[in-house]
Amino acid sequence: MTALSHLRGIIFDMDGTIVDSGLDFAAMRKEMGLRSGVPILEQLNELSPGERAEMETILHRHEMAGADRATIIDGADRLLAALSDEGRPMAIVTRNSTETTAHTLSRLKIDHFFDIVICREDGPHKPDPWAILEICRRWRFAVDEVVMVGDFELDIQSAVNAGCPSVLYTEGKPPEQVPGADLATHVAVHLNDLYHLLAPGQDSI
């Protein structure tokens, strides 16, 4: 048994964790006239309704372009298939829109792996713990029976706020270079590391 193979459910972030849509957040902020270093959704909440609608149009264009070019991160499809074979439910929690998330998952033919998909329109978004707690409610699992897997500090902070274990996937980068590593229960540098944390088998993906 591996470190997290006893957990009943697995919650994934989408972009940067299982798919790569190549979104350039710096370019998005520049086009919208937003500040650097502050998440886009939080800045949109500061705008008037008219300004926000204008910015959301720009955001949607970038996200749809990302959905059209998105690719599966190498090994993620095999990881999902291995976990699915074990019968453990999986969910997605993303700050992306419902439309772009559905398009991405469907286009890459991985939507069938996920029991639940929660996007930014569905409720308070990460780092708020609402989505994790809502998934636990639907699955009827205790919060410490699930794990949140993501590539960004907001993913890990949402797990901390919910009270569940977490895995920071660094996409090959040294953990000390990735914000949130100090908060994560576990760190996976490569997809193989993530597999060995989550799956009971010892073979590589």
Side-chain angles (χ1 to χ4, degrees), residues 36-58:
S36 62
V38 181
I40 289 173
L41 298 184
E42 279 70 10
Q43 293 195 65
L44 295 187
N45 287 336
E46 300 171 357
L47 302 178
S48 68
E51 291 174 319
R52 176 168 181 151
E54 182 180 349
M55 296 304 106
E56 285 178 338
T57 298
I58 297 172

Side-chain angles (χ1 to χ4, degrees), residues 89-147:
M90 291 179 281
I92 289 280
V93 173
T94 177
R95 286 163 58 103
N96 287 43
S97 72
T98 300
E99 182 178 357
T100 56
T101 299
H103 181 53
T104 301
L105 297 176
S106 174
R107 192 179 136 275
L108 296 177
K109 297 180 172 58
I110 56 174
D111 50 330
H112 63 285
F113 286 120
F114 303 104
D115 291 8
I116 302 170
V117 177
I118 292 183
C119 305
R120 66 170 173 258
E121 298 94 338
D122 297 320
H125 46 70
K126 298 176 289 189
D128 192 286
W130 174 81
I132 294 174
L133 298 176
E134 173 63 13
I135 290 167
C136 290
R137 184 189 69 80
R138 295 189 201 178
W139 281 343
R140 298 184 180 180
F141 293 169
V143 71
D144 60 359
E145 294 179 310
V146 306
V147 59

Side-chain angles (χ1 to χ4, degrees), residues 29-80:
R29 289 189 188 92
K30 183 176 180 180
E31 183 175 350
M32 295 182 203
L34 300 178
R35 307 186 302 278
S36 62
V38 181
I40 289 173
L41 298 184
E42 279 70 10
Q43 293 195 65
L44 295 187
N45 287 336
E46 300 171 357
L47 302 178
S48 68
E51 291 174 319
R52 176 168 181 151
E54 182 180 349
M55 296 304 106
E56 285 178 338
T57 298
I58 297 172
L59 178 59
H60 178 73
R61 170 164 46 81
H62 280 272
E63 286 187 336
M64 284 304 294
D68 285 335
R69 66 173 173 260
T71 57
I72 299 174
I73 290 176
D74 187 38
D77 51 343
R78 297 188 294 280
L79 171 64
L80 295 174

